[in-house]
Amino acid sequence: METVKDSTPLRLSDVSAAEAFVESAEVVVIGFFKEDGGTGFQEFLSLASDLRTVSFALCSAPEVWQRYNISMDTVSLFRQTDSHQEKLQMEEGRKLESDSLLRFVRMNELRYLTEYNAMTAVGLFSSSVQTHLLLFADQRSEGFAALQSSLAHLAPTYRGQVRAE
């Protein structure tokens, strides 16, 4: 069951607040903007208002930017389960479409590899991601660890490239 979040992004002013926010939910999104109104800022606020199942925050504190290796206006998604951070950098002078930002969040909120079971099947197939690549393998098989490791390396490269026609 998805929890509906407040649509107003938090303002993160220091590293401890940012770390606490990142650890507060399975998936969180932080908009790192030097100033309000920069490229992608309004689209970020709009998405935060519309996508109420994910927690959003804003941050302009330089020490937080340094902590998360941010060098320019960026929207960053954090996943707890695999301690993953995905970045979408805002390019100066290039318009960011709201649909692109939504796609960035939806594509990255799911883990690259997910064990398929009764619990995960519900979340997987109820997500807004329409195309999944499934591989069924026996965890007890001799080559499972090597297969899992190979897939973990390949998955980020091909994320978003599988299309249903």
Side-chain angles (χ1 to χ4, degrees), residues 5 14 18 22 76 89 123 131 141 161:
K5 311 285 184 194
D14 58 37
V22 167
S76 198
Q89 295 181 329
T131 305
S141 69
Q161 294 185 28

Side-chain angles (χ1 to χ4, degrees), residues 6-145:
D6 180 6
S7 65
T8 306
L10 295 173
R11 293 276 180 167
L12 306 173
S13 58
D14 58 37
V15 172
S16 62
E19 288 175 343
F21 179 73
V22 167
E23 294 172 6
S24 71
E26 176 66 31
V27 175
V28 298
V29 179
I30 301 176
F32 293 95
F33 294 96
K34 286 184 181 157
E35 55 190 48
D36 292 0
T39 301
F41 182 79
Q42 288 303 321
E43 291 81 1
F44 181 84
L45 292 180
S46 178
L47 182 62
S49 176
D50 293 344
L51 189 58
R52 310 248 333 245
T53 57
V54 176
S55 296
F56 288 83
L58 289 164
C59 184
S60 60
E63 66 272 14
V64 179
W65 284 44
Q66 183 177 0
R67 163 66 176 87
Y68 292 107
N69 299 313
I70 304 295
S71 60
M72 60 188 297
D73 287 359
T74 300
V75 173
S76 198
L77 179 138
F78 298 85
R79 274 193 321 256
Q80 275 296 325
T81 54
D82 55 0
S83 301
H84 183 75
Q85 177 185 2
E86 191 70 38
K87 299 175 186 175
L88 177 64
Q89 295 181 329
M90 305 294 111
E91 296 179 30
E92 192 67 40
R94 188 169 176 207
K95 180 155 174 49
L96 175 71
E97 299 295 329
S98 296
D99 289 346
S100 298
L101 188 53
L102 175 61
R103 185 172 193 276
F104 167 78
V105 171
R106 289 302 192 199
M107 290 297 295
N108 290 294
E109 70 182 338
L110 295 175
R111 288 179 281 171
Y112 296 129
L113 297 179
T114 302
E115 178 183 344
Y116 185 83
N117 58 41
M119 294 277 293
T120 60
V122 172
L124 209 82
F125 294 114
S126 66
S127 81
S128 64
V129 176
Q130 298 295 310
T131 305
H132 304 276
L133 183 59
L134 301 178
L135 171 69
F136 293 95
D138 185 351
Q139 290 182 325
R140 298 169 301 210
S141 69
E142 188 177 306
F144 180 78

